Amino acid sequence: MTATVFWPTLLGLSVLAAGLVTYRRDVRTVGLREAFGLVALGPVFVAAAIAAFAGEHFTAATSLATLVPKWLPARVFIAYFVGVAHLAAALSFVARRYVRWSTIGLAVMFGLFVLLMDLPAAIARPAMLSWILAARQATFAIGALALFATETRIRSPHSSNTIATVARIWIAGVLVVYGIQHVIHPEYTPGVPSPVLTAAWVPLPLAISYATGLLLIAFGIGMFVRRYASTAAALGGLLMLLLTLGLYVPQFFLAGNVQQQVTAINFIFDTLLFAGTVLVVSKAISETAASTNGTVM
């Protein structure tokens, strides 16, 4: 196993294992009510994903530096710095220390990705998938803010509720758009839309893609309704987690070379990051609403 495969895998799985330990009591508290207790593990999935991406930044900094805008100095250093920042945020989440600071920092980082890279690229090459990439990175930024809202809900219940409401509406729109994309382009791999065709080994690929699209649309519409928003978001996160485990983890073991393994790692942790983000928003919706109503959960 090469370094470009070993370190992202090791960091991602190590942080995932540590997070499952540190958040085990939260899962028991939530119980089976909200997506089988997985809502409590949203920060763990986010942490595991960004830890894996930190490993990629450490082992492929030179190639990732080409994505940094050319007008910025020290692009290789920026690539390494992003890796350090990702790993620091991941450790903060699983250690449950300084989470308020790390969520703000992570939100700013993903916001800068959108403003400096994804948005200019989408404007320069107008295409639905370019805008979807920008929306995905913005979703990760909003998810970090939703976790911040959860952490600060007792001190600032009304501002936290406002953040959760913005996150709810944004995620709802993104899920609907993603679902429509799957219905329009069922040949592409399900989950977070991308121009990659579904792997040949996947059974009934069109049926899976159509089902994924319809479910995402249903969950997105459900999130627009405040009463059902938390449950719909939890189910959306569960769907993304199932796609991660059922499609992309096997793809890693079926990969025939290093490049295919790296691609599989990106799909695994990118979809896991989206799943964790939606689960974080689900928890923020329910907990901030409860705090605003005078009941601390």
Side-chain angles (χ1 to χ4, degrees):
M1 188 179 292
T2 65
T4 54
V5 175
F6 176 78
W7 285 109
T9 304
L10 177 65
L11 289 175
L13 292 180
S14 297
V15 169
L16 178 63
L20 292 176
V21 173
T22 56
Y23 281 79
R24 65 188 185 281
R25 294 181 180 176
D26 298 68
V27 176
R28 295 172 187 167
T29 301
V30 173
L32 300 179
R33 292 174 297 135
E34 300 178 44
F36 306 102
L38 292 174
V39 168
L41 295 178
V44 177
F45 298 148
V46 172
I50 60 178
F53 293 141
E56 285 195 344
H57 281 79
F58 296 151
T59 57
T62 303
S63 60
L64 290 175
T66 61
L67 301 176
V68 179
K70 294 182 179 180
W71 54 269
L72 286 175
R75 291 190 292 166
V76 175
F77 169 79
I78 291 175
Y80 280 117
F81 178 79
V82 169
V84 172
H86 277 338
L87 186 57
L91 294 176
S92 170
F93 287 2
V94 296
R96 313 189 77 163
R97 295 290 186 273
Y98 309 108
V99 175
R100 296 175 187 176
W101 290 104
S102 57
T103 51
I104 292 297
L106 195 63
V108 170
M109 177 171 290
F110 279 120
L112 289 174
F113 290 166
V114 175
L115 293 176
L116 298 179
M117 296 185 295
D118 300 323
L119 197 57
I123 295 173
R125 298 185 298 275
M128 180 57 70
L129 286 175
S130 298
W131 289 105
I132 282 176
L133 177 60
R136 181 191 65 179
Q137 301 282 49
T139 297
F140 298 153
I142 289 174
L145 291 177
L147 183 54
F148 173 81
T150 302
E151 292 291 318
T152 59
R153 70 188 188 282
I154 297 176
R155 290 187 177 182
S156 306
H158 293 288
S159 61
S160 295
N161 188 54
T162 300
I163 294 173
T165 300
V166 172
R168 173 176 66 84
I169 295 173
W170 175 268
I171 296 294
V174 168
L175 291 182
V176 171
V177 171
Y178 280 12
I180 293 173
Q181 278 296 112
H182 282 83
V183 174
I184 296 175
H185 297 288
E187 68 276 14
Y188 293 144
T189 186
V192 179
S194 74
V196 177
L197 297 176
T198 304
W201 65 269
V202 177
L204 302 174
L206 294 181
I208 293 175
S209 188
Y210 278 126
T212 299
L214 293 175
L215 287 172
L216 289 176
I217 292 172
F219 297 151
I221 293 174
M223 286 189 68
F224 280 116
V225 182
R226 186 183 298 272
R227 180 178 178 182
Y228 305 111
S230 180
T231 299
L235 292 174
L238 176 60
L239 174 61
M240 287 294 180
L241 180 62
L242 291 176
L243 291 174
T244 302
L245 297 175
L247 295 183
Y248 303 126
V249 171
Q251 189 64 37
F252 175 82
F253 294 100
L254 293 172
N257 54 54
V258 172
Q259 184 55 51
Q260 291 178 358
Q261 288 179 320
V262 171
T263 300
I265 288 172
N266 283 325
F267 270 95
I268 289 170
F269 289 106
D270 192 43
T271 311
L272 185 65
L273 178 55
F274 195 89
T277 297
V278 178
L279 291 172
V280 164
V281 172
S282 173
K283 187 176 182 181
I285 293 169
S286 61
E287 292 196 352
T288 55
S291 296
T292 303
N293 294 332
T295 304
V296 178
M297 297 181 64

